[in-house]
Structure formats: C-alpha cells, structure tokens
Amino acid sequence: MNGGDVAAAAPAPPLEWKFSQVFGERAAGEEVQEVDIISAIEFDKTGDHLATGDRGGRVVLFERTDTKEHAGSRRELERTDYPVTRHPEFRYKTEFQSHEPEFDYLKSLEIEEKINKIRWCHMPNGALFLLSTNDKTIKFWKVEEKKVKKISNLNIDPSRAIANGSMPSSSVSSSQKKYLANGCYTDGSSDCLSNDFSFPPGGLPALHLPVVSSSESSVAAKCRRVYAHAHDYHINSISNNCDGETFISADDLRINLWNLQISNQSFNIVDVKPANMEDLTEVITSAEFHPTHCNMLAYSSSKGSIRLVDLRQSALCDSHSKLFEEKEAPGSRSFFTEIIASISDIKFAKAGRYILSRDYMTLKLWDINMDSGPVSTFQVHEYLRPKLCDLYENDSIFDKFECCLSGDGLRVATGSYSNLFRVFGCAAGNTEATTLEASKNPMRRQVQTPSRPSRSLSSSITRVVRRGAESPVDANGNSFDFTTKLLHLAWHPTENSIACAAANSLYMYYA
C-alpha cells in the first residue's frame, strides 16, 4: 500500500517493536561531549544506507549488511525456507568532516559547524551522493569506494632467482667471464644482449606473473560543490527535487532553488521578508519538495500554517496555491498559543497525498486535497500543558522535534522527552499509540493508556481524530526528564524499522 491510501486502509494490528542495534552507546555515568550529539538522521531512498550528522560537523555513514549476506535467487531462498522479513543490520561504513567552525567578519558572527540537515541525492549510476548543511553553507559530497589490490607473492622460483634479481646464466657462471659495462662479455660470446634478442620456446621458466592474494576497500568522501553566500539567516531545511537536478534550501525568511551542477547561483522563489522588519509576524520553519511532482513544494511557518506552492504559477511563489491551518477554538488563546503552534517539521507521505506536521504539542496529518483542517491529530505532549510556564523559562518550549512516516503510510512517529518516542497508527479506525524508549529495552517505559478519540472540533467531514494523551509519569513512576530529548528520528523507506538519536547514541528498532 502506498502513502496515498492512508485514510482508506484497513486498521492494522499494533506493531511489536524490538531492539536491533546501537552505535555509540554510553557507559553508565559517561559524560557526553557536545560535539558528539547527533543533529540529523536520514535514510537513502533504498534504505541500504543511513547518514547521521552531529554538532561537531561530522557526517557518519552506515551500510546495511543483512541484505548482502542473504542475497540470492528466489529458488535458493525457498529451498532454505528463509523468512521474508529479516532482522535489519547496519555496519559503520565511513565518516568525514563536512563543516568546520567559521567566523563571518563582516557581521562579526560565529558560524557553528553543526549539521542541520542531510539529504541523499539519487543518481542513476548508483554512486552515493548527499547534501549536508550547517547554518550558512550547503555542501555536495560524493562517497567513493575504491578497491586496492594487495600482492602477497611474486611467485618467483627461488632456485632460479639470484639475490640481485637478475636472470641466472644457463651454463657459464659469471665468475668465469668478465663482462663490459654494456652487458657484453669480453670474449664476445653470444650471451651479449642485442636488438634481435628473443625469448626461447616456452618462455623463461623463472619469470612469473604476480599473484593477487586479496583486495581491500577504501571509502573516501569528496566535496564536489559548495553552495554558499545565499542565506542571511540560518538554514533550517534542504530538500531534493524528484527531477534529480534541483534542490531547495530554506531559512527563516527565504527559500532558494538551486541546480546541483551550479554552485555560484540560486533563484529566490519564496520571500516573506516585509519591507519593514517590525511588521514581521511569522517565519519559515521547514520546507520540502513534493515526492513525485517536481513543480510543487510545501513550507511551514511559526504560526502553525502550511503553504503549498506551485512553481508553474510564477517565478516568485509568494502567493500560495493552498493554505493549511487549524482554526483556533474560541477563548483558547493564551500567551503560549503561537509558540506551541509553531511547526518544527513537515514531511510528505511517500505518494505525496498527505503531509505530516509536528508542532510542540501534537502531530497532525493533512490531506492536500482538503484544506479545512487536519484529517488526524495525535496528542504527543498534552500532559505538558500545565507546565508551559516552566518550559518557557528553561527554553524547552522552543525544542524542535522532527517527525516521520512509514513507507506504507500506515503509521507516523515523533520524539519526546526522557528519550521517548511515539508511534501512532493513522489508518481509519486504527487506535495504535505506542510509547517507546531509546534503550535496549524499548518497551520498558511503555504507558498503557488507552487511546481516546475526542469530539471533532470541526464538521464531521474532516474526520478529525485526537488521541494518544498520556500521564506525565511513566510506567515506573518516574517523572519525565526534560534535559534528555529525542529530537531526530527516521523511518526506513520500505520496512518497519526506525533509527533515532538519543544524544550521541544511534538506536535502531524493527517490528
């Protein structure tokens, strides 16, 4: 089933998640270095490669191994009765320094090396290309795997070889003959090398080809292009176009369109900067291309709205083709309303029919053919509503949580505090709402709170579902820890497998 059939699919049973593996696990009491904290995660289109970026400007690549080990014909798999679903396993492939700390002398501004986003580029030749960005500069990387052959044995017959490597004489020893500098002997014998020298029949018995015993793979990343000096504000998003030739980059006020082959020129396609900055009411928070229509993209704002734009309408897409926003309930406005309404991340479903958005309190699923309101709303942090003053004081209310969808479009996921993440079923009638912990025992902190669909806030045609609220205390009686937060996670494009980042550790789970 594809992502376009989310709303029409039959309810699927809740998934039982299992721990797969962890990279960079911390020992008890080990202090995490700031530069090692993971700040970006991305699977490639095939799901065979995974990239992470950290606050130290490094990009680490992982490669899937279980598919290679069991590759074979269908008949072989049937003969061995090998199951269709495999336990996904990844191994460390390579890492490279993508960005370094910089200083903008014109603006007296330090530019962090932290990786904000990573996006894989899909090339027809199967080579690995990816884009990585910090606050100001985007880089285009090619990851090459080269095989180096090792020669372990030259296969020379020791009985025929001489220490200096020259060919031994067949009959007369060199001690009996005196030779000249040009290689001829003083007695004018036929052992003198001449222009008409020829190999004897059958060749020389002591001359052999070298033997290659093994070959080693060397992985290297090369920066092919640098896209710089196009953003005055911090870059929050990059997204590849399905045409394979262009991509967008977005900061607080502008979205630029780039050609992958041209690094010194970009086109500004969205500009929300007012003539007077005092009139600024909202900023761009996230942007993404449509997965199948190269002329469409969506971007979200700090006011909780999503705009769909069509590049065919005009060169500057300040006027949107569709606007998605949820209307405020009368009398519900407070000081925190706009802060918690700000959308931190948006993702298109695989087929492009639906958009998933994450604000501070909820996940929302939008149908791009229906702008009256979201088709589903999932409560993530409803239990924090009484604590908004404290969260504002310690800046936690500004945390930017990411979201993701499964490849089949049946489920959505997002992170929370105490290194927890939540998985919701989004098909019609599916009440799945699972809480998992980023640890080797993911179900340890699961809170068995029944999902409670509440009354729709709009007309029945929107079919709004609200569920997933839970207690601020976990199953073990511990209060939630706001210093540990799971901001970044990614869903495998074709399987029920999730990679998520807890500080410097990368946890992987499958179902």
Side-chain angles (χ1 to χ4, degrees):
M1 175 199 146
N2 58 40
D5 301 327
V6 174
L15 295 177
E16 184 179 342
W17 291 91
K18 303 179 184 68
F19 170 77
S20 176
Q21 56 192 137
V22 58
F23 297 95
E25 187 182 22
R26 282 173 292 158
E30 182 183 350
E31 200 169 317
V32 180
Q33 298 297 317
E34 179 79 11
V35 294
D36 294 331
I37 295 177
I38 296 172
S39 56
I41 300 179
E42 181 81 0
F43 279 104
D44 75 341
K45 192 174 184 179
T46 65
D48 290 338
H49 294 90
L50 175 69
T52 66
D54 62 26
R55 294 187 184 180
R58 294 183 300 267
V59 172
V60 183
L61 303 184
F62 300 90
E63 181 180 47
R64 187 163 181 176
T65 57
D66 59 297
T67 53
K68 290 184 177 181
E69 291 171 3
H70 299 289
S73 67
R74 180 172 178 175
R75 185 173 296 176
E76 289 173 350
L77 294 177
E78 288 174 351
R79 187 165 58 243
T80 56
D81 196 27
Y82 193 77
V84 176
T85 55
R86 288 187 294 266
H87 178 178
E89 291 181 6
F90 284 78
R91 70 172 177 87
Y92 168 86
K93 186 178 180 73
T94 188
E95 68 179 77
F96 56 91
Q97 189 70 32
S98 175
H99 287 73
E100 302 279 358
E102 301 173 53
F103 189 81
D104 187 337
Y105 291 96
L106 293 176
K107 298 181 180 178
S108 297
L109 184 69
E110 287 187 9
I111 302 172
E112 287 184 324
E113 66 272 37
K114 173 193 168 190
I115 305 296
N116 290 342
K117 295 287 180 184
I118 295 173
R119 291 290 180 264
W120 290 91
C121 302
H122 313 302
M123 296 298 173
N125 60 359
L128 299 179
F129 288 88
L130 53 87
L131 291 166
S132 62
T133 184
N134 65 351
D135 286 339
K136 296 290 183 182
T137 306
I138 307 159
K139 294 186 179 181
F140 183 51
W141 295 90
K142 180 181 182 182
V143 181
E144 295 180 288
E145 190 165 350
K146 296 181 179 179
K147 290 192 174 180
V148 181
K149 294 183 178 179
K150 295 181 72 176
I151 299 175
S152 63
N153 182 15
L154 290 175
N155 204 19
I156 296 177
D157 185 353
S159 64
R160 306 285 292 172
I162 296 179
N164 63 4
S166 62
M167 292 300 299
S169 172
S170 60
S171 58
V172 185
S173 68
S174 59
S175 61
Q176 293 174 326
K177 287 191 175 185
K178 294 181 180 180
Y179 55 88
L180 303 175
N182 64 359
C184 294
Y185 290 98
T186 54
D187 60 359
S189 65
S190 60
D191 282 340
C192 174
L193 294 174
S194 61
N195 292 332
D196 59 347
F197 174 80
S198 61
F199 283 96
L204 297 175
L207 182 63
H208 295 272
L209 292 174
V211 174
V212 178
S213 64
S214 64
S215 60
E216 289 185 353
S217 293
S218 172
V219 182
K222 291 184 179 179
C223 184
R224 302 296 295 268
R225 286 176 191 86
V226 177
Y227 313 90
H229 313 300
H231 288 278
D232 292 329
Y233 302 93
H234 292 175
I235 298 172
N236 55 51
S237 303
I238 51 176
S239 178
N240 293 302
N241 198 345
C242 60
D243 64 8
E245 297 178 0
T246 55
F247 71 94
I248 53 170
S249 58
D251 65 19
D252 291 344
L253 299 179
R254 290 190 174 97
I255 299 177
N256 293 334
L257 177 68
W258 300 83
N259 188 302
L260 281 168
Q261 308 301 325
I262 302 170
S263 60
N264 59 356
Q265 184 181 11
S266 65
F267 298 96
N268 178 223
I269 57 174
V270 175
D271 188 350
V272 300
K273 184 177 181 180
N276 184 354
M277 285 296 282
E278 291 181 358
D279 298 330
L280 182 68
T281 58
E282 62 182 333
V283 296
I284 298 168
T285 57
S286 182
E288 185 165 279
F289 260 121
H290 191 282
T292 57
H293 298 318
C294 61
N295 56 289
M296 293 176 65
L297 62 96
Y299 68 91
S300 59
S301 81
S302 57
K303 274 194 167 181
S305 61
I306 302 171
R307 290 172 172 84
L308 196 67
V309 299
D310 192 335
L311 297 175
R312 297 171 299 184
Q313 290 182 346
S314 64
L316 190 61
C317 303
D318 287 345
S319 59
H320 51 269
S321 56
K322 283 190 178 179
L323 174 67
F324 306 94
E325 60 183 355
E326 191 169 25
K327 296 176 177 60
E328 276 183 32
S332 63
R333 190 167 184 80
S334 71
F335 173 78
F336 303 108
T337 299
E338 280 197 16
I339 300 175
I340 62 175
S342 177
I343 296 175
S344 55
D345 190 27
I346 60 170
K347 291 282 192 322
F348 273 100
K350 191 175 182 180
R353 168 78 182 273
Y354 293 87
I355 299 175
L356 181 68
S357 68
R358 170 69 204 265
D359 55 48
Y360 189 71
M361 305 293 280
T362 65
L363 270 176
K364 292 185 175 75
L365 191 68
W366 307 80
D367 185 335
I368 65 171
N369 296 329
M370 188 179 72
D371 54 9
S372 58
V375 292
S376 295
T377 299
F378 310 97
Q379 304 291 350
V380 182
H381 284 159
E382 188 59 33
Y383 62 88
L384 293 179
R385 202 170 286 277
K387 300 176 180 291
L388 292 179
C389 285
D390 297 335
L391 294 165
Y392 180 79
E393 290 293 328
N394 62 22
D395 286 342
S396 293
I397 201 169
F398 301 107
D399 288 333
K400 299 185 185 332
F401 292 92
E402 293 180 359
C403 59
C404 58
L405 298 99
S406 60
D408 57 15
L410 292 175
R411 292 172 179 85
V412 295
T414 191
S416 181
Y417 292 105
S418 295
N419 284 340
L420 302 178
F421 63 100
R422 310 206 65 198
V423 178
F424 300 96
C426 55
N430 190 336
T431 58
E432 181 177 352
T434 308
T435 302
L436 302 145
E437 182 187 36
S439 68
K440 289 187 176 179
N441 183 9
M443 308 297 282
R444 181 168 69 95
R445 288 197 177 189
Q446 184 175 5
V447 181
Q448 300 294 341
T449 302
S451 300
R452 295 173 299 178
S454 69
R455 289 181 302 167
S456 170
L457 295 182
S458 53
S459 62
S460 59
I461 195 171
T462 61
R463 202 180 48 76
V464 175
V465 179
R466 295 174 171 269
R467 63 172 183 269
E470 65 174 33
S471 162
V473 178
D474 66 27
N476 299 330
N478 303 316
S479 60
F480 284 97
D481 179 7
F482 300 115
T483 61
T484 56
K485 55 198 77 171
L486 199 149
L487 301 175
H488 312 285
L489 76 171
W491 202 303
H492 191 282
T494 59
E495 300 176 12
N496 285 323
S497 174
I498 291 179
C500 55
N504 66 323
S505 303
L506 176 67
Y507 286 91
M508 306 191 74
Y509 304 94
Y510 71 100

